Amino acid sequence: MKQLAVFASGYGSNLQSILNAARRGHLGEVRVAVVVSDRPQAHALVRARRAGIPAVVVAPDPLSGSRARRRVQDRRRYDHKLLAALRPFGKIDFVCLAGFMRILGPTFVRAFRRRILNIHPALLPAFKGAHAIRDAYAYGVAVTGPTVHLVDERVDHGPIILQEAVRIRSRESLKSLEARIHRAEHRVYPQAIRLILRRKLRLVGRRVV
Ligand code: GRF
């Protein structure tokens, strides 16, 4: 039985799609062992508790020191906090980031090398960052959609596992596009997790085959 940890900061609809897929047996021999959030008010925590899954809040420490030093040190400290929070749950095979709004530092990434997945709501490498749907819409692209990728030390950068194209309709509102991208996310993330858990993927350079 493989064990997943899901990290989420907000609404948790992607977490829910993973929980649903696991419950229906679509992911194979796997269970979500723990849900971690940096925000105590995240609705994702409510979803976890409803599903009977341990939900842990790992709050960042208050900021200290000069800005640049602070970023590196605080990230390292937070990485250690996350690792400590996972320890009671035994061997965690994969970490799935599902709207987790903090950048993981090298300490955490190395501890789970090639075992951290993320979902991003645009076709990477286009529209990295926290406002990807809005940015793609404002840019006027004809096609966008979610990307599931492995996490490395750079933000929105690691090898791409799956993408789903979402064609923007003429005169479509941002709200409608957001809803369709989220629906695509809820398809593509469980699919990617299933592939990785069944060891169907191999890395060739940065290509996932
Ligand atoms: C998703 O759009 C995901 O791509 C991005 O954050 C959002 C999280 O949504 N990383 P939810 O909390 O899973 O509903």
Side-chain angles (χ1 to χ4, degrees), residues 1-194:
M1 175 75 79
K2 297 275 185 222
Q3 295 220 100
L4 296 185
V6 181
F7 289 11
S9 300
Y11 186 55
S13 68
N14 281 284
L15 163 68
Q16 194 67 55
S17 75
I18 296 168
L19 293 175
N20 294 348
R23 197 189 53 231
R24 293 179 190 134
H26 294 173
L27 303 181
E29 292 284 284
V30 68
R31 68 186 195 111
V32 178
V34 56
V35 171
V36 174
S37 183
D38 55 329
R39 293 176 60 238
Q41 67 276 36
H43 185 62
L45 295 168
V46 176
R47 296 182 190 268
R49 290 188 199 110
R50 269 189 205 143
I53 290 161
V56 178
V57 177
V58 182
D61 290 331
L63 298 177
S64 60
S66 79
R67 247 184 113 202
R69 280 178 52 149
R70 188 170 78 196
R71 209 174 304 137
V72 174
Q73 284 175 358
D74 288 346
R75 221 166 258 168
R76 192 180 311 130
R77 204 173 318 130
Y78 192 69
D79 283 355
H80 282 294
K81 272 189 145 187
L82 286 173
L83 291 171
L86 292 183
R87 221 160 280 140
F89 299 94
K91 184 171 189 302
I92 296 294
D93 296 285
F94 288 94
V95 174
C96 299
L97 307 182
F100 189 61
M101 298 312 282
R102 299 189 67 84
I103 296 169
L104 299 172
T107 307
F108 191 91
V109 172
R110 282 177 204 145
F112 282 93
R113 177 156 306 288
R114 298 202 191 95
R115 295 190 293 134
I116 310 171
L117 281 72
N118 182 41
I119 183 142
H120 180 76
L123 296 174
L124 291 174
F127 306 109
K128 296 178 179 182
H131 307 288
I133 303 179
R134 198 177 73 193
D135 293 347
Y137 182 83
Y139 194 90
V141 293
V143 180
T144 181
T147 300
V148 182
H149 67 95
L150 292 171
V151 171
D152 63 12
E153 278 95 343
R154 288 163 64 183
V155 177
D156 296 335
H157 175 266
I160 290 169
I161 300 173
L162 285 180
Q163 296 185 302
E164 186 176 315
V166 174
R167 184 168 289 279
I168 301 179
R169 297 171 180 151
S170 75
R171 285 194 279 276
E172 179 165 21
S173 67
L174 175 58
K175 209 160 170 241
S176 151
L177 177 65
E178 280 169 348
R180 291 199 302 123
I181 289 185
H182 291 315
R183 282 204 292 280
E185 290 187 322
H186 303 156
R187 283 190 291 272
V188 88
Y189 209 1
Q191 262 175 45
I193 293 170
R194 177 188 158 97

